[in-house]
Amino acid sequence: MDFEMVMQELEALSNERLKKMYISNGAHEPLFGVATGKMKPIFRKTKINQPLAEQLYATGNYDAMYFAGIIADPKVMTEADFERWMDGAYFYMLSDYVVAVTLAETDIAQAVADKWIASGEELRMSAGWSCYCWLLGSRPDSEFAESKIANLLEVVEKTIHDAPERAKYAMNNFMYTVAVSYLPLHDKAVETAKAVGPVEVQKDKKKSKLLNASENIQKSINRGQLGFKRKYVRC
């Protein structure tokens, strides 16, 4: 399949209800509103195809950019490629669920995520923390330096309440993921989550909500999910 054929198939799968939902989460035109599950038949025709992924990502169309993440070849993407993709990631569903997910399948994932966490830029920070969540939730515990993950937990404890809004979500999820999926620091993550307490985030100009990692960790413990690892990061 070439670029035009993929765009036509994506447009044919457009859903007005989903389009409105994506827009309410931060997406903007152009977009079709395609359910991610509906993209799998297209993937079976394209397979992994980095040149096509680059064409699709460059459109600025949310659905095309999301599909680009599905067909991308992380093994050939460089740090510069990921920086360029982050530059185009204009809201969290792209930064955290396309760029960070794709980055998590590379050998440079931790190094790039570390830079993004330290950048001070909201979506790069969010993508960096999210990348660690994807990594910890899918790779063996032995692939991580315990001291490094412990240090990141300390960073969360000290800075989460003053972090940018989307970074708060990702940092909160990091505490949860360490507690559930990285057993060497389960106890420390539980303690960190308790010390942090509820985290207030702004949903829009008028409303706010509270994130509570401790509650979610306990729910996973009750369900017997400690040690959970995903088989696949991407769809």
Side-chain angles (χ1 to χ4, degrees):
M1 293 186 76
D2 62 18
F3 170 76
E4 293 297 337
M5 294 170 68
V6 172
M7 291 300 289
Q8 288 171 9
E9 291 217 16
L10 287 173
E11 186 171 11
L13 293 169
S14 62
N15 180 301
E16 195 62 30
R17 182 182 63 81
L18 281 176
K19 183 174 179 178
K20 290 178 180 177
M21 186 187 78
Y22 293 155
I23 289 173
S24 72
N25 280 308
H28 58 58
E29 295 284 1
L31 79 161
F32 302 129
V34 181
T36 55
K38 298 282 188 180
M39 295 181 180
K40 291 183 179 180
I42 309 176
F43 172 69
R44 287 195 285 269
K45 298 175 186 177
T46 64
K47 307 297 183 185
I48 297 296
N49 188 326
Q50 186 61 28
L52 179 56
E54 292 290 357
Q55 283 184 287
L56 292 167
Y57 198 85
T59 63
N61 178 299
Y62 168 67
D63 302 287
M65 296 170 81
Y66 192 98
F67 188 65
I70 293 175
I71 68 171
D73 185 356
K75 295 184 180 68
V76 304
M77 293 183 72
T78 65
E79 182 175 345
D81 291 328
F82 283 106
E83 291 290 354
R84 179 165 45 78
W85 277 36
M86 267 307 304
D87 288 340
Y90 64 86
F91 79 124
Y92 78 94
M93 289 176 71
L94 290 170
S95 63
D96 296 12
Y97 295 98
V98 177
V99 185
V101 169
T102 309
L103 177 62
E105 292 196 6
T106 71
D107 293 333
I108 60 173
Q110 291 190 53
V112 175
D114 290 342
K115 291 181 180 179
W116 289 352
I117 286 170
S119 71
E121 297 177 31
E122 182 170 15
L123 290 181
R124 273 182 164 77
M125 292 174 70
S126 183
W129 288 109
S130 293
C131 183
Y132 267 104
C133 294
W134 295 114
L135 289 168
L136 291 162
S138 63
R139 297 193 184 188
D141 291 347
S142 58
E143 290 195 19
F144 304 93
E146 187 174 328
S147 59
K148 182 177 185 180
I149 304 303
N151 181 65
L152 288 172
L153 282 173
E154 291 171 8
V155 171
V156 171
E157 183 174 347
K158 293 175 183 176
T159 66
I160 187 169
H161 290 289
D162 296 317
E165 296 304 299
R166 284 313 318 180
K168 289 180 181 178
Y169 280 94
M171 295 165 83
N172 187 75
N173 194 37
F174 177 79
M175 289 188 290
Y176 166 82
T177 304
V178 175
V180 173
S181 296
Y182 186 66
L183 295 182
L185 289 176
H186 167 78
D187 291 341
K188 182 175 178 61
V190 169
E191 292 169 6
T192 301
K194 288 179 180 177
V196 166
V199 178
E200 185 176 11
V201 290
Q202 295 298 130
K203 290 188 70 176
D204 54 41
K205 293 180 179 178
K206 295 181 180 179
K207 298 179 181 178
S208 66
K209 64 180 288 188
L210 294 176
L211 307 177
N212 194 318
S214 286
E215 289 184 356
N216 291 330
I217 291 167
Q218 189 58 51
K219 287 176 183 177
S220 289
I221 292 172
N222 294 343
R223 289 194 292 261
Q225 293 179 327
L226 288 190
F228 170 77
K229 298 284 185 181
R230 296 173 180 273
K231 289 185 178 179
Y232 304 102
V233 177
R234 288 189 291 172
C235 296

